[in-house]
Amino acid sequence: MTSYVRRAATVTAGALALTIGLAVPALAHVTVNPGTAVQGSWTKIAFRVPNERDNASTTKVEVEFPTDHPLPFVSVRPVPGWDVKLTRGKLPQPVVSDDGDKITESVLKITWSGGKIESGQFQEFEASVGPLPKNVDALEFPTAQTYSNGEVVKWADAPKADGSEAEHPAPTLKLVAAEEGEDDQHGAASASPAAAPTVAAAASDDGDEGGDEGGDTTPALVLGGLGLVAGLVGAGAGITALRRSRG
């Protein structure tokens, strides 16, 4: 039994390490978190900015807001050590909102500066926005990341035609339709709690089934722990390799 557990743990750990290692490059991009919100709702989003350079720190982050589907209300959460500037202005052309209102001005950009994101670190910059448009599948937020050595990386590439990821993809918030009976104004907040009972029920059912059959859960626990440790090691190796290749 012990040899079986060891062999299974080795295979599982290796596969998990490889999976996490391959996913590391995507994690290095500037992203919107969470990546999905409900159409017509209010939501809090965070622009997650990792520092990709070993010899420079990130000193400024500029996030452009959509002007074809402007967000009427935007507020920011202070970040210790960083100055924030919210820029409002006229839209390139007036836009009619979902409620029929004519919008001529909106938030055009948010700039965070004065702080530092050191090598191997990331920072999240939060904003509360809404209401989100009801008939749009996604909103893009082109972002410029400035480093202490003067380098500027623009995360503004659109998705490729073949569906593969661009080199510097623009942070994107995907929008999904509200479920039946869901309040549009608070859809994003109510979506997550609704899913919790389903997960809990599934876990409870698995536990009952194991008890009826008299199964031993020890091997599963051992495999899970070993796989997690190996996965973290694999992720660290992937990050190191990525930095060296980009340096």
Side-chain angles (χ1 to χ4, degrees):
M1 182 64 179
T2 302
S3 61
Y4 168 78
V5 171
R6 289 177 179 174
R7 287 197 300 271
T10 300
V11 174
T12 303
L16 181 59
L18 178 60
T19 300
I20 296 179
L22 293 175
V24 167
L27 295 177
H29 297 339
V30 174
T31 56
V32 176
N33 292 278
T36 304
V38 176
Q39 294 172 337
S41 71
W42 293 71
T43 189
K44 182 185 74 173
I45 56 178
F47 299 98
R48 181 174 296 171
V49 183
N51 186 72
E52 294 189 308
R53 300 292 181 265
D54 292 329
N55 58 351
S57 57
T58 297
T59 56
K60 183 167 69 172
V61 177
E62 299 174 277
V63 178
E64 296 181 15
F65 274 59
T67 56
D68 52 348
H69 300 288
L71 299 173
F73 301 98
V74 178
S75 60
V76 296
R77 183 175 184 176
V79 180
W82 290 80
D83 298 322
V84 59
K85 179 181 179 182
L86 192 151
T87 302
R88 300 184 64 91
K90 290 186 177 181
L91 299 173
Q93 58 183 17
V95 175
V96 178
S97 70
D98 293 326
D99 297 326
D101 298 326
K102 185 177 181 180
I103 302 175
T104 59
E105 294 186 358
S106 183
V107 172
L108 304 179
K109 181 173 62 176
I110 299 179
T111 304
W112 287 271
S113 61
K116 286 186 178 182
I117 306 175
E118 301 291 356
S119 176
Q121 299 179 357
F122 73 90
Q123 179 66 58
E124 288 190 338
F125 302 93
E126 296 179 337
S128 178
V129 301
L132 300 173
K134 296 180 180 180
N135 300 309
V136 178
D137 295 330
L139 294 176
E140 294 184 359
F141 298 85
T143 300
Q145 180 178 9
T146 301
Y147 287 91
S148 57
N149 60 5
E151 178 187 7
V152 178
V153 178
K154 294 185 178 181
W155 301 92
D157 294 346
K160 294 184 178 180
D162 60 3
S164 61
E165 187 176 63
E167 182 177 1
H168 296 97
T172 301
L173 177 65
K174 296 182 179 180
L175 303 180
V176 297
E179 296 181 1
E180 185 176 355
E182 189 174 45
D183 184 357
D184 285 350
Q185 296 300 318
H186 301 88
S190 62
S192 296
T198 303
V199 176
S204 176
D205 291 342
D206 289 344
D208 291 342
E209 183 177 350
D212 292 340
E213 295 179 357
D216 185 3
T217 61
T218 300
L221 294 176
V222 173
L223 290 177
L226 292 176
L228 178 59
V229 172
L232 293 175
V233 173
I239 292 174
T240 302
L242 176 63
R243 288 179 178 164
R244 290 177 177 173
S245 64
R246 296 191 176 186

